[in-house]
Structure formats: C-alpha cells, structure tokens
Amino acid sequence: MNPLDPKTATELIAALAAGPTALFAILSALFTAIPGVRTATFIATAPDYTVTHRIGTSNPEHFPVGNVDPIDDSPWNRRILIEKRPVVGNDVPGMAAFIPETDGLVAMGYGATACFPIVIAGETRGVVALLGDAGIFTPTALAAVDTLLPIAALIFTFEGISAR
C-alpha cells in the first residue's frame, strides 16, 4: 500500500479542518486526475432514505449542487443502496442499463460512468459518481478509484452533510 504523498496529506488535513467545501475541491482534483475521468460528483443519501442529493461536484455548471432525486426501485438505486455495489458503465449501453439520463450525458460528451456507494456502519451514506470517456474504467483506473474511496468517505461523516 502506498501512503499519500506528503503534499496531498497536508492538503487533506487542511481541507478536513476547513470543512466540506475545501474537501470537495481536493477530492474532485484527486478523482479527475485519474486518466479519462472528467467529472466527479458527490451524492448524499438523506437520513430517511427517501431522496439522494448532490452535495459537491467538479462540474457545477452541468451538475449543480442541491439537485434532489427520489429513491425509487430503479436499477441504480437497487444496486447502490440495497446491494451496496458499484455501477460501472464503461460504454453507452453500460451506462443506459443504470442511468436514465444517459442520452443527456452522451450529448455532453460522456461515454462512461462509474458510481461507488460509500457504506459507513452498514448504511449507504453517499455515492461518488465519476464520468468520462468510454472505456476509461480499466482495472488500473478502478484500482486508483478504490484507493481514493476511503478518503472520499470522510465527506459523508460531516454533521448535517446528508440533510437537505
């Protein structure tokens, strides 16, 4: 296991002290540094499990913070919230199997998505959603994501972060 480089560790310490906004900026930079990943978005699950809502993103123009989606019986919600497993759509058909808004994402130039549940104490507290070019979610890229997910989980431990 490789430890974080000292510069990134120092930035994370400062971001944790400063609060969620600073941590979103660091996490967005870390995830979008993975080759082909162009957007990182962080989605919180409401404590009552009725909705999810966007709490941070590297692309606020297309994915504004505050967007709320109901939790229903859709394939994405079942996979992420009930099964607690990631959704990886490495091409447009793979995206369409889980993401109803795939046509809009393709129109923005995206060809792949991967969404990773953040499970804390047995509950899916949030999701890290990544978007980029088709074919980017190789084993190497997924391994890089896996190293960042425990750090990303910190964002979902801030008090009130899941409140809408």
Side-chain angles (χ1 to χ4, degrees), residues 14-163:
L16 282 165
T21 301
L23 190 53
F24 286 132
I26 299 270
L27 291 170
S28 292
L30 290 170
F31 281 108
T32 58
I34 296 169
V37 175
R38 297 196 334 257
T39 299
T41 299
F42 307 90
I43 302 165
T45 305
D48 63 4
Y49 263 56
T50 58
V51 297
T52 59
H53 60 285
R54 230 178 266 136
I55 58 173
T57 182
S58 64
N59 185 346
E61 179 183 342
H62 290 118
F63 305 100
V65 170
N67 185 65
V68 175
D69 289 313
I71 293 176
D72 55 20
D73 194 37
S74 69
W76 189 90
N77 283 317
R78 279 194 311 274
R79 175 69 66 95
I80 296 286
L81 299 173
I82 295 169
E83 298 173 16
K84 298 174 177 64
R85 293 182 18 212
V87 165
V88 179
N90 213 16
D91 55 21
V92 173
M95 291 170 61
F98 289 96
I99 312 289
E101 304 86 6
T102 294
D103 289 343
L105 295 172
V106 170
M108 286 187 260
Y110 296 110
T113 187
C115 303
F116 302 89
I118 300 297
V119 180
I120 300 172
E123 293 183 14
T124 302
R125 299 277 300 275
V127 179
V128 174
L130 306 175
L131 290 163
D133 305 322
I136 63 167
F137 294 109
T138 64
T140 300
L142 292 172
V145 170
D146 284 346
T147 65
L148 296 174
L149 290 175
I151 298 166
L154 294 170
I155 201 73
F156 299 99
T157 64
F158 279 93
E159 182 153 349
I161 200 75
S162 295

Side-chain angles (χ1 to χ4, degrees), residues 5-17 22-23 26 29-30:
D5 65 81
K7 179 182 179 288
T8 303
T10 300
E11 290 171 350
L12 283 167
I13 289 167
L16 282 165
L23 190 53
I26 299 270
L30 290 170

